[in-house]
Amino acid sequence: MDMEQATWKSGSADALLAEFFAHDDLKALAADAGALLECPLLVLDDTFHVTAHHRPLGFTDPFFQDAVRQGEITYEAGAIISQSEALSAGRADYVKLEGSDYRRRFSPLISSGVRLGYLICVDTDGHLQNIPPETWNMVEQILAKQAFIEVSRQDKPFETTEDILMHLLDGGFSSAPYFRLQASGTYLADFHPTGFALIELTTYHNEYLGKRHLKDELGVIFPQSHSFLYRGDVFLFLHGNADFNGFSALAEEFQLKVVMSDGINDLFNLPALYRTAHEALELMTDRRFHSGNVCTVAQLRTPLLLKKLEGRSDLIAKEIRVLAAHDKEKDTQYCETLYYYLTCCRSLKKTCDALVTHRNTVLYRIRRIKDDFAIPLDEPAIHADLLLGVSLLLFEKKGPDFFLHAINKTEREEQ
């Protein structure tokens, strides 16, 4: 770096510091930071909305311009932030968006231990990696501190309905009346969705980034969904009977995982419903899960309960563990037979149909379960204990898929 350039750099850094101490303006700070770093940049809040930007004259990039115009980044770019191990650990990460000519540097803005948002710098000529760490540290600290000041203001109103919903999902409202007071004047005041869906974006981000925008697709298929990005997943409301086929086609085309919640009776109850739906979506990303890309929480309730108890062999009766050991050693199906026999209310016909097995074979297994393995099937008081134990063992052996298939078999039999 020659003397003239070093002097200019020093002057730009001084201007950034002077702006921070003299004014209370994140947009002006972003402009000074862009001048110091010599790059276009976006400053995001923690909901991935654009709060400030710097765009040098002559710079064109569709992703950058769309983000500024719409006031937020795409769901796909938000997924990059949510899925990046480096960003989760508080470090910067470089990403090349398909469809853009430029690499981008994503970095978290953290102040007083709180993650306030993100800084996205566009590397137009490859020079960003040569900027000294101390310069990056200064820029990020100043922007984070200004963001912290703005967020920390007393009685700061919620700026958007999304802010209210995110605060609700975070458990931030102490009472239902306080939530309703904040929601008055927004569409939430008279809003009665029947449920919501969560869409996991990991595979979509990997395979389709930049080709099509998911938000546009959702707006066409579910125009009243009010979709937004929350903690890396797309959250959208549903009305009436959810269009399962619409989700199925979307999930298949874009390689998504989608879970639909239980019904909503009161918007204030969203946090509890969200927690269960998010756990269900995590279950769907388990490597052992192969039962489709679209599910309901109701379908996954049993495997979710078992997931919570996974590894608790101490809760399983000794006789059931012996039965499972025999299945493993001899490649038999006594545990499955016991499971279906109990869930079918000890109906021999329904058990045979569920197992797709001849009546004599099922009878033979049931007799052995009672006589050779000393499992008292004629004592209703212990059926719940037996069913829980054998379910835990089947979850460990076969994963969540087994229970979705079992539900489907039962539904077919009832029809």
Side-chain angles (χ1 to χ4, degrees), residues 35-91:
L36 171 62
L37 301 171
E38 296 183 317
C39 71
L41 60 80
L42 299 172
V43 179
L44 311 179
D45 63 16
D46 60 344
T47 67
F48 305 140
H49 285 79
V50 177
T51 55
H53 74 280
H54 171 66
R55 180 187 175 192
L57 289 175
F59 171 72
T60 60
D61 178 84
F63 286 97
F64 189 98
Q65 290 163 251
D66 285 348
V68 172
R69 183 174 62 254
Q70 297 177 11
E72 60 183 346
I73 60 175
T74 63
Y75 290 158
E76 297 77 19
I80 289 175
I81 292 175
S82 299
Q83 302 299 335
S84 168
E85 293 183 4
L87 289 171
S88 296
R91 304 189 307 274

Side-chain angles (χ1 to χ4, degrees), residues 168-190:
L168 174 64
L169 290 168
D170 288 339
F173 290 106
S174 57
S175 66
Y178 179 47
F179 161 66
R180 295 189 181 101
L181 176 65
Q182 294 297 327
S184 63
T186 73
Y187 71 81
L188 296 175
D190 189 28

Side-chain angles (χ1 to χ4, degrees), residues 122-385:
V122 183
D123 198 359
T124 56
D125 57 9
H127 80 281
L128 293 188
Q129 62 187 11
N130 298 323
I131 294 176
E134 54 269 23
T135 301
W136 284 117
N137 187 54
M138 179 192 70
V139 169
E140 290 161 5
Q141 283 192 6
I142 288 175
L143 293 175
K145 184 61 70 175
Q146 181 61 40
F148 183 81
I149 291 170
E150 296 189 5
V151 169
S152 300
R153 287 175 183 147
Q154 295 296 320
D155 301 322
K156 179 180 181 291
F158 294 103
E159 295 182 355
T160 68
T161 307
E162 281 184 23
D163 291 338
I164 296 173
L165 285 169
M166 289 185 183
H167 194 65
L168 174 64
L169 290 168
D170 288 339
F173 290 106
S174 57
S175 66
Y178 179 47
F179 161 66
R180 295 189 181 101
L181 176 65
Q182 294 297 327
S184 63
T186 73
Y187 71 81
L188 296 175
D190 189 28
F191 189 55
H192 306 287
T194 56
F196 64 87
L198 293 180
I199 302 177
E200 202 268 343
L201 292 172
T202 304
T203 308
Y204 179 89
H205 140 222
N206 288 337
E207 297 188 7
Y208 288 92
L209 185 60
K211 294 185 179 179
R212 298 172 67 183
H213 287 178
L214 180 60
K215 186 170 186 177
D216 297 336
E217 296 295 314
L218 292 174
V220 171
I221 300 173
F222 307 102
Q224 302 301 316
S225 65
H226 298 284
S227 63
F228 59 94
L229 199 64
Y230 180 68
R231 296 187 178 182
D233 299 324
V234 177
F235 183 107
L236 65 154
F237 288 105
L238 304 175
H239 302 269
N241 294 323
D243 188 350
F244 197 91
N245 292 330
F247 273 121
S248 296
L250 197 69
E252 182 176 355
E253 178 181 0
F254 292 105
Q255 298 300 301
L256 306 172
K257 294 286 188 181
V258 183
V259 67
M260 289 179 278
S261 75
D262 287 335
I264 300 174
N265 295 321
D266 186 337
L267 279 178
F268 187 67
N269 296 330
L270 270 185
L273 293 171
Y274 168 79
R275 181 175 62 250
T276 305
H278 182 66
E279 290 173 352
L281 194 59
E282 287 184 328
L283 185 68
M284 291 176 66
T285 61
D286 189 298
R287 59 180 177 78
R288 300 175 296 175
F289 189 92
H290 307 287
S291 293
N293 294 329
V294 183
C295 289
T296 65
V297 167
Q299 288 174 311
L300 297 173
R301 191 167 287 115
T302 296
L304 278 174
L305 285 168
L306 296 172
K307 179 71 174 177
K308 292 290 186 181
L309 296 172
E310 192 172 20
R312 291 295 307 274
S313 60
D314 57 301
L315 297 175
I316 303 172
K318 177 182 178 181
E319 293 81 2
I320 300 294
R321 295 201 299 269
V322 171
L323 192 69
H326 184 278
D327 276 348
K328 183 176 181 180
E329 180 183 354
K330 303 295 185 181
D331 194 25
T332 52
Q333 292 183 296
Y334 287 104
C335 282
E336 288 183 54
T337 301
L338 176 58
Y339 174 84
Y340 282 113
Y341 187 61
L342 293 172
T343 56
C344 293
C345 301
R346 298 200 299 164
S347 166
L348 185 61
K349 181 183 183 306
K350 290 182 178 179
T351 304
C352 294
D353 291 340
L355 290 166
V356 193
T357 304
H358 193 274
R359 182 176 186 275
N360 291 341
T361 301
V362 174
L363 269 175
Y364 170 77
R365 292 177 186 169
I366 291 172
R367 288 173 185 150
R368 285 210 65 194
I369 289 171
K370 289 195 296 185
D371 299 337
D372 296 350
F373 294 96
I375 296 176
L377 296 179
D378 296 327
E379 296 182 21
I382 68 167
H383 284 179
D385 180 61

